[in-house]
């Protein structure tokens, strides 16, 4: 067989398999997160991205193991802290596609504060939340998106709390791209992901990604007959009030799709004049001597 030249390697089209990590997922058989992982690989392929152009940042939880299963740069950070780490990475290298993945407990519970502020800052990130309405990794405790009356290990008589609605919360905090997907509808989900990655600014996709082991209330049979796509109706993605009304429906109809998009607002990076010229910060000279840099590092250690 002839050797492959560097030129051939550069122009070879990417396939979804190119984004397969070295490690196979250890998720439970049937976990919704498989559909999210496959959709993300497909979306990256369709956008013609290459593994070295992508950084995936996650927090802690079953779904936060995703960077290990994806061939790209990856960071598995602290519980709830993926968004600030991703913000720093994006500002350090604004040419990189930065995707953040995690779960509802990680992102809306432990990391709820970061969620609010990353939304309002309009950082150019794609945030994919695998929302299974429970803490799966810690074996089934109530989470911020668990339904009222749901019985879990930590709420044996049923949860008395109202669930957090990430869609209305993101909209009211000024998000510029807000969508909801379902891991049982991977083609639609991959389409939302391509739009979110292409969007200039913060893009949230909250994905119903059932935990088949610990949440027997909101499983695939619960969602399948209820899910309706906004794209199949005449939904106006510039109308935030209707978007909120549709996002609050939780009964025989539960909507997925793109609720809201604002296309013409600058992202945080575009407002930072220091990023205007000279390329990514990470490729610029440090501006400190070796000795000064070493002094700073020593002081912080
Ligand atoms: Fe998925 Fe639930 Fe298993 Fe975690 S515990 S891998 S969320 S099915």
């Amino acid at each position: 067989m002839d050797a492959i030249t560097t030129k051939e390697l550069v122009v070879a089209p990417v396939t979804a398999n190119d984004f397969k990590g070295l490690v196979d997922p250890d998720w439970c058989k049937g976990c919704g997160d498989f559909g999210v992982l496959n959709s993300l690989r497909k979306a990256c392929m369709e956008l013609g991205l290459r593994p070295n152009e992508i950084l995936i940042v996650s927090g802690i939880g079953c779904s936060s193991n995703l960077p290990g299963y994806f061939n790209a740069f990856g960071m598995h950070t602290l519980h709830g802290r993926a968004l600030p780490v991703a913000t720093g990475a994006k500002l350090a290298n604004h040419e990189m596609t930065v995707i953040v993945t995690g779960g509802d407990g990680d992102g809306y519970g432990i990391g709820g504060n970061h969620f609010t502020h990353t939304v309002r800052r309009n950082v150019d990130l794609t945030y994919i939340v695998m929302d299974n309405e429970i803490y799966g990794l810690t074996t089934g405790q109530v989470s911020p998106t668990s339904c009222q009356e749901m019985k879990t290990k930590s709420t044996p008589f049923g949860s008395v709390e109202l669930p957090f609605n990430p869609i209305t919360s993101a909209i009211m905090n000024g998000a510029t791209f807000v969508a909801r997907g379902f891991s049982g509808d991977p083609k639609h989900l991959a389409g939302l992901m391509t739009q979110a990655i292409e969007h200039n600014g913060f893009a949230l996709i909250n994905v119903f990604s059932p935990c088949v082991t610990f949440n027997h209330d909101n499983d695939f049979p619960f969602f399948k007959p209820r899910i309706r796509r906004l794209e199949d109706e005449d939904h106006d993605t510039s109308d935030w009030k209707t978007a909120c009304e549709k996002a609050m429906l939780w009964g025989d109809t539960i909507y997925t799709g793109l609720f809201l998009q604002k296309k013409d607002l600058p992202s945080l990076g575009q407002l930072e004049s220091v990023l205007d010229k000279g390329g990514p910060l990470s490729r610029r000279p440090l501006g400190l001597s070796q000795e000064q840099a070493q002094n700073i590092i020593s002081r912080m250690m």
Side-chain angles (χ1 to χ4, degrees):
M1 200 173 98
D2 292 338
I4 300 171
T5 66
T6 310
K7 195 174 171 200
E8 281 169 327
L9 277 176
V10 169
V11 296
V14 281
T15 67
N17 261 348
D18 291 325
F19 296 106
K20 230 168 164 269
L22 293 175
V23 183
D24 285 330
D26 63 353
W27 293 321
C28 308
K29 194 175 170 203
C31 174
D33 296 352
F34 285 101
V36 179
L37 175 63
N38 291 334
S39 298
L40 185 58
R41 287 176 181 153
K42 190 164 183 282
C44 290
M45 175 197 76
E46 280 173 3
L47 289 168
L49 290 167
R50 292 177 180 277
N52 66 331
E53 295 168 337
I54 303 168
L55 167 68
I56 304 191
V57 184
S58 70
I60 297 293
C62 294
S63 51
S64 285
N65 289 337
L66 189 143
Y69 313 140
F70 200 99
N71 180 30
F73 292 111
M75 288 180 79
H76 196 170
T77 70
L78 300 175
H79 206 181
R81 310 299 171 212
L83 284 173
V85 173
T87 298
K90 182 70 187 182
L91 294 180
N93 186 354
H94 61 282
E95 288 179 358
M96 182 78 89
T97 295
V98 182
I99 298 166
V100 188
T101 61
D104 42 295
D106 179 77
Y108 305 141
I110 319 290
N113 174 25
H114 299 308
F115 176 65
T116 300
H117 295 291
T118 313
V119 167
R120 77 174 173 83
R121 287 178 181 137
N122 200 27
V123 188
D124 189 14
L125 304 170
T126 298
Y127 189 27
I128 300 167
V129 181
M130 285 157 263
D131 183 0
N132 54 20
E133 294 108 18
I134 201 151
Y135 280 90
L137 188 69
T138 49
T139 70
Q141 293 79 21
V142 72
S143 93
T145 54
S146 298
C147 293
Q148 247 181 338
E149 298 179 14
M150 185 172 163
K151 289 185 179 164
T152 69
K153 276 189 182 165
S154 57
T155 55
F157 305 110
S159 172
V160 295
E161 299 173 6
L162 274 177
F164 175 76
N165 187 321
I167 303 294
T168 54
S169 173
I171 290 173
M172 297 315 291
N173 280 301
T176 53
F177 183 106
V178 186
R180 187 194 270 156
F182 173 42
S183 65
D185 191 0
K187 199 170 165 202
H188 178 243
L189 180 56
L192 290 174
M193 288 173 174
T194 56
Q195 292 178 74
I197 294 169
E198 283 186 314
H199 175 75
N200 178 45
F202 185 79
L204 168 72
I205 309 179
N206 189 72
V207 187
F208 295 135
S209 182
C211 171
V212 294
T213 305
F214 296 111
N215 186 345
H216 301 296
D217 292 2
N218 309 118
D219 50 11
F220 285 102
F222 169 84
F223 284 114
K224 273 193 176 145
R226 292 174 166 83
I227 293 286
R228 274 167 62 186
R229 298 173 177 174
L230 290 169
E231 289 76 12
D232 294 337
E233 299 184 6
D234 197 16
H235 176 66
D236 176 1
T237 56
S238 67
D239 178 355
W240 67 269
K241 284 185 192 161
T242 308
C244 285
E245 280 166 15
K246 290 184 173 173
M248 287 192 290
L249 281 185
W250 187 265
D252 292 342
T253 296
I254 298 175
Y255 282 109
T256 56
L258 179 56
F259 285 87
L260 186 93
Q261 186 171 23
K262 298 180 204 164
K263 289 188 175 163
D264 301 323
L265 293 177
S267 66
L268 182 72
Q270 287 171 315
L271 294 171
E272 282 291 347
S273 54
V274 73
L275 300 181
D276 262 2
K277 298 183 199 81
L281 292 177
S282 58
R283 295 199 204 120
R284 296 187 205 174
L286 195 52
L288 295 171
S289 70
Q290 192 65 29
E291 193 188 353
Q292 287 169 318
Q294 196 50 54
N295 277 344
I296 292 172
I297 294 167
S298 305
R299 271 210 310 274
M300 295 175 100
M301 298 296 276

